[in-house]
Amino acid sequence: MTETKTKTENGTGSEKMTRVLVVDDETVIGRGFEVALGGQGFEITFVGDPTELERAFDGAASYDIAFVDLVMPKRNGLQVMTWLREHHPDTRVVF
């Protein structure tokens, strides 16, 4: 599941927002980032299944930062970080 929530201060969408990627198998974590940062001018994209990570980048520029869960089924956080480093080296990763 990949979801993107976007909000800007004036509602026009014209500002450059910090793009945040959240990769976690727990939906509540993604919702927490949306609540905490979404209203502050950050663009949050949540990926609940790390095997769908590539879809988060379809037609999109790189993300500024990625918050990644270390323990997930199918693909762990270190594998996600390796993929990000290979394909989007400018994205900072936080575990």
Side-chain angles (χ1 to χ4, degrees):
M1 171 175 70
T2 303
E3 296 180 24
T4 302
K5 301 288 183 184
T6 304
K7 183 176 180 179
T8 61
E9 294 300 317
N10 66 10
T12 65
S14 61
E15 297 93 14
K16 162 116 174 57
M17 296 189 313
T18 300
R19 300 189 74 226
V20 177
L21 177 65
V22 179
V23 183
D24 199 304
D25 59 317
E26 296 182 43
T27 305
V28 68
I29 300 298
R31 298 284 181 244
F33 274 92
E34 290 172 357
V35 168
L37 298 176
Q40 302 299 314
F42 292 89
E43 179 181 339
I44 310 297
T45 299
F46 172 67
V47 176
D49 181 346
T51 61
E52 295 182 7
L53 181 63
E54 293 82 359
R55 286 190 209 174
F57 290 90
D58 284 349
S62 203
Y63 291 87
D64 298 299
I65 190 165
F67 292 93
V68 180
D69 184 9
L70 276 171
V71 181
M72 295 179 285
K74 301 178 187 174
R75 187 185 284 182
N76 68 40
L78 294 176
Q79 292 168 315
V80 168
M81 181 192 69
T82 300
W83 186 90
L84 286 168
R85 290 285 177 246
E86 290 173 5
H87 296 90
H88 301 280
D90 292 335
T91 301
R92 289 164 275 167
V93 178
V94 177
F95 293 105

